[in-house]
C-alpha cells in the first residue's frame, strides 16, 4: 500500500477536514445498510493521516496532541462510527513509541508510514472486570511465544494489517504482541451487533496457539511503572469522538430546522428558525457543544505540555484535564443527539432519514468507560491532591 507522508500539523488538519467532508456524505447510508467502511479506511490510510504521530526521526510529522484531538473531532462529527476505528491504531502506535526497542520502532513506524493499520485485541468478556486479562502469552522452546485466548469488542481488527494483542505472560505481567492479521490460528469474526457504531465491526478475535516472534512483543506493564500519558492520550481521543458527535448532531439539527421544520402555530413566527423557544433551545445546545470543545482543547494542551516535561505532577494534571473533557463530551453527545428530535419535530423521527444514528453512536460510545469514576478522580485530586491511578483509563 502506498501512502502519502504528511509533513506537519497544518497539512494534517487540512487532510482531516477534507476526508471528514467525504465521509460525512455517506455516513447515514453506511449506518443504515451496515456497509463496513473498507473503502473509506483505505482512503484514510492512503492519505497519510494514520502516520501523523510517527516521530520525526523516523520520518513522521510527529503532530501535537491538540492536532490529533482535532483530527478525531472532525472525523467524529462526520461519522461517529468510522472515527472510532483508528482510535486503537494511535494508542498502539504510542505503545511502540514508549516501550519499543529501536529495532521495533524502525520496523513498525515504517509499516505505519506505508499505510498499514493497527487494530486491537484488548478487552475480554465474562471476566471479573475489564483489567482481568486471561489471554496467555507462553514461551516456546526457541525463544518465541504462543498466544491463546478470546478477545471481544475488537474495534479495527477486521480491517487491520496488524492486531496488537494484550496478554499476560508466565510472570503474570502485561505484554502487547503485535500479530499479523493473517497469522495462523488467529480468526476475526464480525459479530458486533451494537445498536450504535454499527460499522466499526467490533467483533471477536480468537487466538489458538498463534505463533509470535520474540521481537513482536513489547512489555506493556512498564508503561505504568512511572508517570505516563498512555491513558490520557487514549481517553483524549475518546473525548474528541464524543465532542465530534455532539457537534455533528447540532449541525444536522440546524440544517433540518432551517430547511424542513415548520414553526409551531402559537409562536407567531414565519419559520421554525424564528420560533423564540427554538432559538433558546439552540442556544443551550450550542453551549453544550462549545463547552465540550473548549475542554477538549484544554485537555489536549495539558497532554502536550506533560509530554514535553513528564513528571508525576504533569501526568496527573493531564489525566484530570482529559477526564473533565471526557465527562462533558459524553454528556454533550448524548444530550445534543437526543435534542435533535426535540427541536426538529416529528418528521425527524422517520427511520428513512436515519437521524437517530447520532444518538445511537453517542449512547454506545459513551459506554466505553464510566464517566462517574472520572468525576470521582477529579474530586479526589481537587479536594485531597490525590493523583489519578496509573491504570490506562485516565
Amino acid at each position: 500500500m502506498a501512502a502519502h507522508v504528511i509533513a506537519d500539523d497544518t497539512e494534517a488538519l487540512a487532510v482531516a477536514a477534507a476526508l471528514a467532508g467525504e465521509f460525512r456524505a455517506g455516513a447515514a447510508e453506511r449506518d443504515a445498510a451496515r456497509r463496513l467502511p473498507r473503502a473509506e479506511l483505505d482512503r484514510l490510510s492512503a492519505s497519510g493521516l494514520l502516520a501523523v504521530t510517527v516521530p520525526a526521526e523516523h520520518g513522521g510529522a510527529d503532530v501535537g496532541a491538540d492536532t490529533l484531538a482535532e483530527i478525531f473531532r472532525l472525523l467524529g462529527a462526520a461519522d461517529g462510527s468510522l472515527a472510532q476505528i483508528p482510535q486503537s491504531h494511535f494508542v498502539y502506535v504510542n505503545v511502540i513509541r514508549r516501550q519499543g526497542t529501536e529495532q521495533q520502532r524502525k520496523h513498525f513506524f515504517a509499516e505505519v508510514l506505508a499505510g498499514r493499520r493497527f487494530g486491537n485485541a484488548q478487552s475480554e468478556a465474562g471476566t471479573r472486570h475489564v483489567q482481568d486479562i486471561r489471554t496467555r502469552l507462553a514461551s516456546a522452546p526457541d525463544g518465541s511465544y504462543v498466544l491463546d485466548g478470546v478477545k471481544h469488542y475488537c474495534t479495527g481488527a477486521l480491517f487491520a494489517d496488524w492486531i496488537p494483542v494484550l496478554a499476560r505472560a508466565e510472570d503474570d505481567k502485561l505484554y502487547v504482541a503485535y500479530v499479523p492479521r493473517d497469522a495462523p490460528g488467529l480468526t476475526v469474526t464480525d459479530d458486533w451487533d451494537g445498536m450504535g457504531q454499527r460499522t466499526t465491526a467490533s467483533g471477536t478475535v480468537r487466538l489458538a496457539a498463534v505463533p509470535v516472534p520474540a521481537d513482536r512483543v513489547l512489555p506493556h506493564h512498564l508503561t505504568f511503572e512511572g508517570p505516563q500519558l498512555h491513558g490520557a492520550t487514549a481517553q483524549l481521543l475518546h473525548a474528541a469522538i464524543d465532542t465530534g458527535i455532539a457537534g455533528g448532531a447540532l449541525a444536522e439539527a440546524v440544517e433540518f430546522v432551517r430547511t424542513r421544520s415548520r414553526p409551531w402555530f402559537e409562536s407567531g413566527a414565519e419559520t421554525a428558525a424564528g420560533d423564540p423557544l427554538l432559538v433558546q433551545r439552540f442556544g443551550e445546545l450550542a453551549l453544550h457543544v462549545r463547552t465540550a470543545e473548549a475542554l477538549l482543547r484544554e485537555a489536549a494542551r495539558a497532554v502536550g505540555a506533560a509530554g514535553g516535561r513528564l513528571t508525576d505532577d504533569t501526568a496527573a494534571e493531564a489525566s484530570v484535564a482529559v477526564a473533565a473533557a471526557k465527562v462533558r463530551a459524553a454528556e454533550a453527545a448524548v444530550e445534543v443527539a437526543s435534542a435533535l428530535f426535540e427541536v426538529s419535530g416529528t418528521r425527524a423521527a422517520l427511520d428513512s432519514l436515519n437521524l437517530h444514528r447520532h444518538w445511537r453512536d453517542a449512547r454506545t460510545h459513551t459506554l466505553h468507560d464510566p464517566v462517574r469514576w472520572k468525576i470521582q478522580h477529579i474530586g479526589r485530586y481537587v479536594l485531597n491532591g490525590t493523583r489519578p491511578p496509573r491504570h490506562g483509563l485516565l
Side-chain angles (χ1 to χ4, degrees):
M1 178 187 295
H4 172 67
V5 178
I6 288 174
D8 53 28
D9 293 67
T10 300
E11 184 184 5
L13 291 173
V15 170
L19 285 176
E22 292 181 25
F23 297 160
R24 181 180 295 105
E29 183 276 327
R30 281 193 300 274
D31 178 89
R34 198 176 180 272
R35 179 175 66 78
L36 300 182
R38 295 181 184 275
E40 289 76 16
L41 287 171
D42 286 343
R43 287 279 293 123
L44 200 61
S45 290
S47 75
L49 210 59
L50 295 181
V52 295
T53 59
V54 170
E57 60 267 29
H58 288 274
D62 202 6
V63 304
D66 54 346
T67 295
L68 189 60
E70 179 63 6
I71 288 169
F72 273 82
R73 189 195 69 81
L74 289 166
L75 294 176
D79 185 338
S81 188
L82 194 155
Q84 177 63 28
I85 296 171
Q87 189 270 346
S88 56
H89 169 90
F90 283 98
V91 168
Y92 285 103
V93 169
N94 195 39
V95 169
I96 293 167
R97 182 171 188 156
R98 184 170 174 91
Q99 297 302 339
T101 65
E102 184 56 33
Q103 191 58 38
Q104 287 171 328
R105 293 188 190 109
K106 181 178 179 181
H107 171 77
F108 281 114
F109 290 153
E111 287 285 283
V112 174
L113 285 167
R116 307 285 190 269
R117 295 190 290 266
F118 292 163
N120 94 88
Q122 180 170 289
S123 294
E124 299 179 12
T127 56
R128 290 184 302 117
H129 50 70
V130 70
Q131 293 204 325
D132 181 16
I133 302 297
R134 301 183 183 181
T135 296
R136 290 289 155 179
L137 185 69
S139 299
D142 63 357
S144 65
Y145 296 91
V146 177
L147 269 173
D148 285 282
V150 180
K151 297 289 189 175
H152 298 268
Y153 314 118
C154 299
T155 302
L158 191 68
F159 314 108
D161 299 288
W162 292 89
I163 301 177
V165 181
L166 195 61
R168 293 193 184 275
E170 285 98 333
D171 59 7
D172 207 38
K173 294 179 179 178
L174 282 175
Y175 293 79
V176 178
Y178 288 72
V179 183
R181 168 70 176 81
D182 58 357
L186 185 152
T187 59
V188 182
T189 304
D190 177 22
D191 55 2
W192 171 243
D193 65 348
M195 68 174 180
Q197 295 195 305
R198 299 182 66 231
T199 61
T200 59
S202 302
T204 302
V205 169
R206 290 180 171 82
L207 306 134
V210 176
V212 184
D215 62 357
R216 298 294 180 260
V217 177
L218 279 72
H220 192 40
H221 60 94
L222 296 180
T223 299
F224 307 105
E225 292 186 2
Q228 52 83 36
L229 295 173
H230 175 81
T233 301
Q235 289 294 307
L236 180 70
L237 303 187
H238 284 306
I241 293 168
D242 287 339
T243 302
I245 292 172
L250 180 61
E252 192 102 61
V254 167
E255 176 65 18
F256 196 96
V257 170
R258 283 177 176 172
T259 61
R260 300 193 186 194
S261 295
R262 297 180 297 179
W264 184 245
F265 69 94
E266 292 178 286
S267 70
E270 291 297 319
T271 65
D275 183 331
L277 296 184
L278 281 181
V279 169
Q280 176 73 18
R281 187 63 173 130
F282 270 96
E284 294 168 350
L285 298 176
L287 284 174
H288 284 304
V289 174
R290 283 173 175 260
T291 301
E293 291 173 347
L295 285 174
L296 180 67
R297 289 191 294 269
E298 179 182 316
R301 284 194 295 269
V303 171
R309 190 174 65 87
L310 188 59
T311 66
D312 284 330
D313 288 336
T314 61
E317 285 287 345
S319 288
V320 169
V322 172
K326 182 65 168 65
V327 170
R328 282 292 172 254
E331 291 173 348
V334 173
E335 170 72 13
V336 177
S338 176
L340 186 160
F341 302 97
E342 170 197 334
V343 296
S344 299
T346 306
R347 189 180 180 191
L350 293 178
D351 197 50
S352 59
L353 297 177
N354 199 18
L355 294 178
H356 46 69
R357 73 185 185 281
H358 299 289
W359 184 86
R360 289 187 288 102
D361 285 346
R363 185 65 280 178
T364 300
H365 184 251
T366 54
L367 299 175
H368 189 273
D369 51 277
V371 297
R372 59 187 177 273
W373 274 99
K374 298 186 186 305
I375 296 171
Q376 277 282 313
H377 291 303
I378 294 169
R380 291 171 184 176
Y381 182 74
V382 170
L383 186 60
N384 300 314
T386 304
R387 297 188 187 110
R390 297 172 182 158
H391 55 42
L393 293 172
L394 280 166

